[in-house]
Amino acid sequence: MGLLWSLRPVPGSKPGLRMRKMNVQTPMEIRISVYQGHSTEGFITQVLLASMFVERWYVAPGILRVPITEGGLTATLFLPSGRTRGESEGRFQV
């Protein structure tokens, strides 16, 4: 997890960019590349040693996502696999 939260935008990219996922039900695909040496500018011209794509899932497949709006509050309820709408010991209604 530390590798992903410590990422910074590529040097020279638009200022103010944040790594943000709009649809949490699909994985975030990230390409991690390792270049020879340590450089903050012009790294793309360096020798590429290794590269791979990794996926970061926010929600496991099969999780039920239920949007809730009540009295000006907007939230999202995530239910574990195997539960159906309204099947939560009567504690909430969807």
Side-chain angles (χ1 to χ4, degrees):
M1 183 70 178
L3 177 64
L4 299 182
W5 70 257
S6 64
L7 291 175
R8 288 188 268 164
V10 173
S13 63
K14 191 177 190 179
L17 288 178
R18 295 186 314 162
M19 190 167 75
R20 190 172 113 169
K21 185 74 172 144
M22 299 303 285
N23 180 1
V24 297
Q25 293 181 306
T26 60
M28 180 176 284
E29 295 177 345
I30 301 167
R31 180 180 177 186
I32 298 176
S33 302
V34 178
Y35 293 89
Q36 186 170 352
H38 177 76
S39 177
T40 56
E41 295 291 335
F43 69 92
I44 204 73
T45 60
Q46 300 295 321
V47 176
L48 178 65
L49 299 177
S51 180
M52 75 178 313
F53 278 96
V54 294
E55 289 183 346
R56 182 179 192 282
W57 284 87
Y58 287 86
V59 178
I63 298 295
L64 180 63
R65 182 179 188 270
V66 182
I68 298 173
T69 304
E70 177 91 24
L73 175 69
T74 301
T76 304
L77 175 65
F78 294 92
L79 294 174
S81 300
R83 289 220 170 150
T84 59
R85 289 179 166 226
E87 181 193 320
S88 181
E89 303 162 11
R91 295 186 186 187
F92 72 94
Q93 292 182 3
V94 179

